[in-house]
Amino acid sequence: MWETLTGILGPAEWQAVRLSLRVSFWATFLSLPFGILVAYLLARGNFPGKQLLNGVVHLPLILPPVVTGYLLLLGFGRRGPIGGFLETVFGIVLSFRWTGAALAAAVMAFPLMVRAVRLAIEAVDPRLEQAAGTLGASRIWVFVTVTLPLILPGIIAGAVLAFAKAMGEFGATITFVSNIPGQTQTIPSAIYSFLQVPGGTEAAGRLVAVSVVIAMAALLLSEILARRVARRVAGT
Amino acid sequence: MTLSVRLRHSFGAFTLDVDFEAPPGVTVLFGRSGAGKTAIISAVAGLLRPDEGRVAAGDWVLFDTAAHRWLPPHRRRLGYIFQEARLFPHLSVRQNLRYGAWFAPRGAAREDFGRVVEMLGIGHLLDRRPALLSGGEKSRVAIGRALLAAPRLILADEPLAALDDERKAEIMPYFERLRDEVSVPILYVSHSAAEVARLATTVVALQDGRVLRQGSATEVLGDPAVTPVGVRGAGAVLEARLVAHHPDGLSEADAGGVPLFRSPVAAAPGARLRVRIAAHEVLISRARPEGLSALNILPGVVQEVRPGDSHGAIVSIRTPAGTVLAGLTRRSVQALGLVPGAECHAILKSVAVAPEDVGRGGA
């Protein structure tokens, strides 16, 4: 299958597809634990600043993506406070690298992931968690043995949604890490570039087709997984 | 091990202020809804943090405001049986049963898994998921799950209230076995006089957040002041001993020298019985009734008359068999001239029996 794909796609297009998959995978994978934590805090927590956290998490959803990208550049660029720290202490550079594209994609996809997981947590009967507590489980154990298995379908749904969003992220990515072939040129950036040059429509069309296929496949996979998990969880 | 509970807590206008002891066996917290039963059990479980008080099982202190001690629920070693079974839907029955044992300390005295499964009759359900169980089966699994957590204290919050009468009859015997076979104190919340009569070793009657009366089931239910569920639910309990099964199908029991007859009881002669006489099943006659179909007529003396809700009243009558309560209209009380000291006869329309634990409490 890979040969057929690489045969159909030109090397530049193939590069963009591979880069997009890599960026989206890491964006989803690394933000998932934070997404679950934030969703849990928002669903079950009761602390000052909860509304503020809620607002900050949802900000990328309502801000223009270019603004989010610019804010990332300010904060995580080499001269930015966080970017500078990461570079001097850990040697991690984000600006104009694929890692930065992953960060931009993760930030943009975060609200969708949190929302899906939060809804799943809110659907869990807190009396079950209470029962687990009386049986000797500490809060962390209650979460691991009761809450987490029960919200697994929601986590899968949130992860797939975040992956799809990451695959399609354009505005924040191009602002933060630009559009460098092989480094930061994801599928949407590549489509945009192809459309800027004469005769690029065909390559753009092929990438559009690939995007559609990946999106549909992800959706289908998540439906199947979520249904299977839901059945197992409900015990029917 | 005895559980001692002293609590004070304000919820707006309502104040809970109780102090009682729960010896081994079943201690029933008895009262109408709003009397504070659930608040007490929540505080003992650590789900509610009271303003002030102390809860200790023997020398093991769960909570003490004076000593600034507060154990979170998961460190209180509880077996909490909820009204709804609250089984974990994603785990099999076996995993539900084993859940608590996993968190219990290594050296803790444990119930044997096989014995509990056998006692509750849930062996054939072990590999099923809770969603596929009937209401009665869920309750039994919930009891087992609490029991297998190696608890030092069992709490049951109206565990039968959500079940229909048939299921109640199915589950009640398991609580009797729990009372007779498990050595930890059991705190049991109920507003059903029938459950109290059948299960209670000790009764703590509650009203408006205070302890109205505390004692054995016979003492507390025979007190006309204790009618927390109104005249309809009132009823005294008599201790009796099964004497014989007669060829005409009736069983004869002896209560303080007075014979009581009723439909067959599934127990051997000599067995101790708890007989519950519902107040609305008792008629009163001043003269010894003649030509009456009722078999059980107890001579006695009026002890106390207590006006109940609207037109009703509760009359307590001291008989050789023990104290009996009768629910009458106030008009009848007046017409018959029932005042303390008046001689009368209590006519029992029906006699409900629960097998009493044989062997406990001697005699």
Side-chain angles (χ1 to χ4, degrees), chain A residues 101-115:
Chain A
L103 175 67
V107 167
M108 292 302 289
F110 202 62
L112 298 175
M113 177 189 283
V114 168
R115 197 171 176 75

Side-chain angles (χ1 to χ4, degrees), chain A residues 125-139 141-142 145-147 149-150 231-236, chain B residues 45 47 73-75 77-80 82 84 86-91 96 99-100 102-103 129 131-132 145-146 149:
Chain A
D125 188 346
R127 295 176 306 175
L128 287 177
E129 297 169 319
Q130 208 175 51
T134 65
L135 287 164
S138 65
R139 220 165 146 164
W141 276 116
V142 171
T145 59
V146 177
T147 319
L150 290 175
R231 205 176 315 139
R232 201 175 56 99
V233 163
T236 49
Chain B
L47 304 175
H74 69 273
R75 291 181 53 210
R77 307 276 313 275
L78 307 169
Y80 200 139
F82 298 92
E84 343 75 54
R86 298 198 194 182
L87 300 178
F88 304 125
H90 57 298
L91 302 178
N96 266 283
Y99 189 87
W102 207 68
F103 295 104
R129 289 299 181 88
L132 299 174
R145 183 177 69 172

Side-chain angles (χ1 to χ4, degrees), chain B residues 266-279:
Chain B
R272 284 181 62 193
L273 300 174
R274 256 185 201 191
V275 181
R276 180 172 137 76
I277 316 284

Side-chain angles (χ1 to χ4, degrees), chain A residues 73-154:
Chain A
L73 191 59
L74 289 181
F76 290 88
R78 300 184 96 143
R79 303 234 179 87
I82 309 172
F85 171 80
L86 287 176
E87 188 177 353
T88 43
V89 178
F90 299 105
I92 299 172
V93 178
L94 293 170
S95 50
F96 307 111
R97 300 282 172 85
W98 76 270
T99 44
L103 175 67
V107 167
M108 292 302 289
F110 202 62
L112 298 175
M113 177 189 283
V114 168
R115 197 171 176 75
V117 178
R118 178 183 178 170
L119 286 176
I121 293 174
E122 280 169 351
V124 172
D125 188 346
R127 295 176 306 175
L128 287 177
E129 297 169 319
Q130 208 175 51
T134 65
L135 287 164
S138 65
R139 220 165 146 164
I140 290 167
W141 276 116
V142 171
F143 181 77
V144 172
T145 59
V146 177
T147 319
L148 200 59
L150 290 175
I151 62 169
L152 215 48

Side-chain angles (χ1 to χ4, degrees), chain B residues 31-83:
Chain B
R32 310 175 188 255
S33 50
K37 311 183 296 279
T38 299
I40 293 173
I41 211 163
S42 301
V44 173
L47 304 175
L48 164 80
R49 194 166 188 150
D51 298 336
E52 202 189 324
R54 184 174 187 276
V55 176
D59 54 5
W60 184 56
V61 181
L62 301 173
F63 159 64
D64 188 350
T65 35
H68 300 288
R69 184 172 164 86
W70 169 264
L71 286 184
H74 69 273
R75 291 181 53 210
R76 294 196 175 196
R77 307 276 313 275
L78 307 169
Y80 200 139
I81 302 163
F82 298 92
Q83 191 180 115

